[in-house]
Amino acid sequence: MTLSAVYGRVARLRRSWYERHPQSRRALDSTVISVGNLSVGGSGKTPVVAALARLLLDIGQRPAILSRGYGRPRALDGVVVASDGDRVLEPVERTGDEPQMLARALKGVPVLVSPDRHVAGRLAERRFGCTVMLLDDGFQHLELRRDVDLLLVSCADLDDRVLPAGRLREGLDAARSADCLLVPGPPEEVARVSAAFDGMQVFSVVNHYRPLRPLDETASLPAGLRRVAAAAGIARPQRFFSALREQGFDVAREIVFSDHHWFTTGDVESVGRAARDAGAELIVTTEKDAARLPPLPGWATLPMVAAIEPEGQFRSWLQGRL
């Protein structure tokens, strides 16, 4: 038996055990919605969590986001309240980049960080009166009972293998445990995933990009700029580079760092030299990377908002589950 087969079997047995012993899961008083994926990193979960939080606010719920804070410089005990819904309370070094990004973007939504999301959820219920908990990257967090499991599945997942031979944390059969699948990509990819999981509820995720925003909010962007350098420390940077080109930018240089990379002064200087050598007018990075960077002149970010479509149909489906 290969190492991937062993890994997949262990993951399958673990999920099966929790499904046969639901009483072993810890519960919250509020509704719990998990947003997760099968693959390691780079699936676009965090923008989907933000979209769900806005939808829940719109229908009169009081959501909170619970994150484990992956990628922090050091693990912290207890619960870090990244945002109380009104303001950001903690620096990125204590929250991690994705919770920090959510805390900055969402008004009216507390963001809490802890490896123990049951404790974080209890705190959100008691201190903020939250009625719905959103688990960011929660599909494999089986210790906590959830009411709705939303799973992002891409076409690439269909052809992938379980770790360590591939990028999947669980085999494709685990997707059947979800309540619905969210598929990023064009209609043909949504159709392919739907066919692979016949009978499951499937919705599409569409990303909408906004105008560039300077990291230094006191600065303005060059008029009519087109030639840029792109720097990214995320799991699948090519998607970001492609998005810039789709927005009409000439990406003169692609600079890649590891996922959740913490930029040093030397890194920033190195990126600046590469951009100048390429004749770029501006350095553009992702919102996730921007959460780990200071307000740098000559840098900007490409904001993105995810939408789950058909929007009306998904809203009705979710309200029915609540």
Side-chain angles (χ1 to χ4, degrees), residues 238-267:
Q238 286 303 324
R239 296 194 303 187
F240 169 63
F241 302 146
S242 296
L244 279 172
R245 291 188 172 95
E246 288 166 6
Q247 302 307 303
F249 293 101
D250 173 16
V251 181
R253 184 72 183 271
E254 299 175 356
I255 305 159
V256 177
F257 295 91
S258 61
D259 194 14
H260 301 285
H261 178 76
W262 290 90
F263 292 88
T264 65
T265 301
D267 293 331

Side-chain angles (χ1 to χ4, degrees), residues 268-305:
V268 172
E269 292 173 351
S270 175
V271 171
R273 286 194 298 271
R276 288 191 296 273
D277 291 346
E281 304 166 76
L282 188 73
I283 300 162
V284 185
T285 191
T286 71
E287 287 185 289
K288 179 174 163 179
D289 290 301
R292 285 178 265 112
L293 285 164
L296 295 169
W299 287 62
T301 184
L302 179 66
M304 183 188 76
V305 176

Side-chain angles (χ1 to χ4, degrees), residues 28-108:
L28 295 170
D29 294 331
S30 52
T31 299
V32 177
I33 300 175
S34 165
V35 181
N37 65 335
L38 293 176
S39 63
V40 178
S43 66
K45 292 183 299 294
T46 302
V48 168
V49 169
L52 284 165
R54 294 186 181 101
L55 187 157
L56 290 165
L57 284 174
D58 194 45
I59 62 177
Q61 297 289 341
R62 296 191 300 278
I65 295 170
L66 310 181
S67 171
R68 62 175 174 156
Y70 182 79
R72 289 184 287 179
R74 61 187 178 90
L76 299 172
D77 293 331
V79 179
V80 175
V81 180
S83 165
D84 61 4
D86 293 323
R87 62 195 188 280
V88 178
L89 301 176
E90 296 281 359
V92 65
E93 290 81 9
R94 286 176 54 83
T95 66
D97 48 19
E98 290 166 349
Q100 184 76 193
M101 187 172 72
L102 290 165
R104 294 178 185 180
L106 296 169
K107 294 298 181 183

Side-chain angles (χ1 to χ4, degrees), residues 2-318:
T2 66
L3 191 55
S4 288
V6 172
Y7 190 101
R9 179 173 171 77
V10 170
R12 190 177 298 110
L13 288 172
R14 177 174 178 268
R15 181 170 294 278
S16 176
W17 189 90
Y18 276 103
E19 289 176 350
R20 295 195 317 272
H21 301 85
Q23 72 280 1
S24 66
R25 292 182 170 184
R26 292 188 291 175
L28 295 170
D29 294 331
S30 52
T31 299
V32 177
I33 300 175
S34 165
V35 181
N37 65 335
L38 293 176
S39 63
V40 178
S43 66
K45 292 183 299 294
T46 302
V48 168
V49 169
L52 284 165
R54 294 186 181 101
L55 187 157
L56 290 165
L57 284 174
D58 194 45
I59 62 177
Q61 297 289 341
R62 296 191 300 278
I65 295 170
L66 310 181
S67 171
R68 62 175 174 156
Y70 182 79
R72 289 184 287 179
R74 61 187 178 90
L76 299 172
D77 293 331
V79 179
V80 175
V81 180
S83 165
D84 61 4
D86 293 323
R87 62 195 188 280
V88 178
L89 301 176
E90 296 281 359
V92 65
E93 290 81 9
R94 286 176 54 83
T95 66
D97 48 19
E98 290 166 349
Q100 184 76 193
M101 187 172 72
L102 290 165
R104 294 178 185 180
L106 296 169
K107 294 298 181 183
V109 182
V111 180
L112 296 90
V113 181
S114 175
D116 190 334
R117 280 181 269 190
H118 181 262
V119 172
R122 285 294 188 205
L123 180 60
E125 290 173 339
R126 185 175 65 252
R127 184 184 297 183
F128 304 116
C130 295
T131 58
V132 181
M133 302 297 156
L134 287 168
L135 301 186
D136 188 3
D137 195 12
F139 191 63
Q140 285 78 30
H141 190 67
L142 301 175
E143 298 88 345
L144 185 64
R145 179 190 59 77
R146 69 285 312 281
D147 301 279
V148 183
D149 250 320
L150 307 177
L151 183 67
L152 277 86
V153 178
S154 70
C155 269
D157 293 338
L158 302 183
D159 302 317
D160 209 342
R161 300 173 64 189
V162 174
L163 293 165
R167 295 176 57 89
L168 298 183
R169 294 187 272 190
E170 297 185 79
L172 290 175
D173 56 317
R176 293 285 178 183
S177 297
D179 294 293
C180 89
L181 305 181
L182 305 178
V183 184
E188 57 270 21
E189 295 190 11
V190 177
R192 186 181 169 207
V193 172
S194 297
F197 297 98
D198 186 43
M200 292 194 69
Q201 180 70 62
V202 178
F203 295 97
S204 66
V205 177
V206 180
N207 295 326
H208 301 280
Y209 293 93
R210 305 288 174 81
L212 294 181
R213 185 175 67 236
L215 263 61
D216 179 357
E217 295 183 358
T218 65
S220 57
L221 299 179
L225 81 94
R226 275 288 168 262
R227 190 172 176 85
V228 301
I234 58 175
R236 298 181 183 179
Q238 286 303 324
R239 296 194 303 187
F240 169 63
F241 302 146
S242 296
L244 279 172
R245 291 188 172 95
E246 288 166 6
Q247 302 307 303
F249 293 101
D250 173 16
V251 181
R253 184 72 183 271
E254 299 175 356
I255 305 159
V256 177
F257 295 91
S258 61
D259 194 14
H260 301 285
H261 178 76
W262 290 90
F263 292 88
T264 65
T265 301
D267 293 331
V268 172
E269 292 173 351
S270 175
V271 171
R273 286 194 298 271
R276 288 191 296 273
D277 291 346
E281 304 166 76
L282 188 73
I283 300 162
V284 185
T285 191
T286 71
E287 287 185 289
K288 179 174 163 179
D289 290 301
R292 285 178 265 112
L293 285 164
L296 295 169
W299 287 62
T301 184
L302 179 66
M304 183 188 76
V305 176
I308 304 172
E309 299 181 352
E311 185 177 352
Q313 185 179 338
F314 176 74
R315 179 188 292 248
S316 297
W317 179 87
L318 186 61

